[in-house]
Amino acid sequence: VENRKLRNLANKYKIAFNEVALIFRRVSYDYADLEEFLKRKDAKLLWTEEEDGDLLENNHTAIKYLKILKGEDRVQKRMNYLMGNL
């Protein structure tokens, strides 16, 4: 089912399946955020390795900034994803 959804989105937005799969990981495996990114190309929906590192290290200053930039819900969702709680 997951691959079918990703393939459908890849076809819909004319993007290679592998690229969609990589983006999917960078949006914490959230289909709504994936499609939103594919529609609007809003970079704040994507997570970088540096941001992931800040979350994993519990960098309070960075986390505070990320909550302002990306929203508290997305930060919590990403932390859950990184900790394997999704």
Side-chain angles (χ1 to χ4, degrees):
V1 173
E2 182 176 299
N3 276 346
R4 190 176 326 133
K5 285 183 180 181
L6 294 181
R7 286 191 193 288
N8 288 341
L9 288 172
N11 290 334
K12 180 178 179 179
Y13 292 98
K14 297 178 182 12
I15 298 173
F17 172 79
N18 290 343
E19 187 174 343
V20 171
L22 289 172
I23 295 167
F24 192 44
R25 182 190 163 279
R26 291 185 61 199
V27 296
S28 307
Y29 295 109
D30 184 294
Y31 285 105
D33 283 352
L34 173 61
E35 186 147 21
E36 189 66 21
F37 174 78
L38 295 173
K39 282 181 193 172
R40 298 186 306 125
K41 304 293 189 222
D42 185 352
K44 79 176 184 184
L45 295 171
L46 301 178
W47 290 89
T48 66
E49 288 183 26
E50 181 181 358
E51 291 166 338
D52 286 348
D54 288 334
L55 294 175
L56 289 170
E57 293 171 8
N58 204 23
N59 180 333
H60 295 289
T61 303
I63 291 171
K64 187 175 181 179
Y65 173 75
L66 289 169
K67 285 180 178 179
I68 293 167
L69 180 68
K70 294 179 180 274
E72 200 162 331
D73 289 345
R74 279 202 173 90
V75 170
Q76 187 59 51
K77 183 171 36 174
R78 188 62 176 185
M79 290 174 81
N80 289 340
Y81 162 77
L82 292 172
M83 301 299 178
N85 295 326
L86 279 182

